Amino acid sequence: MPTEFNGRAVATGRDVVTLCVRHAQDIQADRFGGDWDWATATIHVRSLVHEEGTERHVLCDTVIATPQETVSLGDADGMLVIPAPSGRTRLIVSTDEADPAGLETVWVDLVAVDG
């Protein structure tokens, strides 16, 4: 599991992509108006037949092997297994804003790779 981000929001390894998202306890009281609710990261996942263009900043565009046609998305508390569109999957990670404290909103597009 890649953990060296070196100032980037995404770290990649062989068939693994790690996202640097805001930690739930990483809240700034002034930013949240004194409300001590947990900070959250929102990850939007789409499974696509073809790539769809985006105006967002693309953080990662890579192809991973998904021989069981699944992708796992998780953290220290749990994991969600998502159907992948094919045995090889193009993974495109994008965001509107890359915050140095970690990503708050991320889009992950899973695109089928032919062949």
Side-chain angles (χ1 to χ4, degrees):
M1 184 76 59
T3 58
E4 296 297 322
F5 291 97
N6 299 320
R8 297 172 300 177
V10 176
T12 59
R14 183 171 181 231
D15 299 327
V16 176
V17 175
T18 306
L19 306 175
C20 180
V21 296
R22 292 269 318 267
H23 191 278
Q25 296 168 338
D26 180 21
I27 62 171
Q28 301 169 3
D30 58 338
R31 180 175 180 171
F32 294 102
D35 183 358
W36 288 97
D37 287 338
W38 295 102
T40 59
T42 302
I43 302 173
H44 304 272
V45 179
R46 302 186 304 170
S47 183
L48 305 171
V49 175
H50 303 286
E51 174 190 3
E52 293 181 7
T54 181
E55 300 275 326
R56 294 182 297 274
H57 178 65
V58 174
L59 302 172
C60 177
D61 186 341
T62 190
V63 174
I64 60 173
T66 50
Q68 296 176 338
E69 296 190 3
T70 62
V71 172
S72 299
L73 177 67
D75 62 13
D77 295 325
M79 186 177 309
L80 177 65
V81 178
I82 303 165
S86 63
R88 292 182 62 229
T89 302
R90 183 173 172 198
L91 189 133
I92 305 168
V93 179
S94 62
T95 187
D96 287 329
E97 182 179 349
D99 187 327
L103 301 168
E104 289 187 39
T105 305
V106 182
W107 285 262
V108 177
D109 290 344
L110 307 173
V111 184
V113 174
D114 295 329

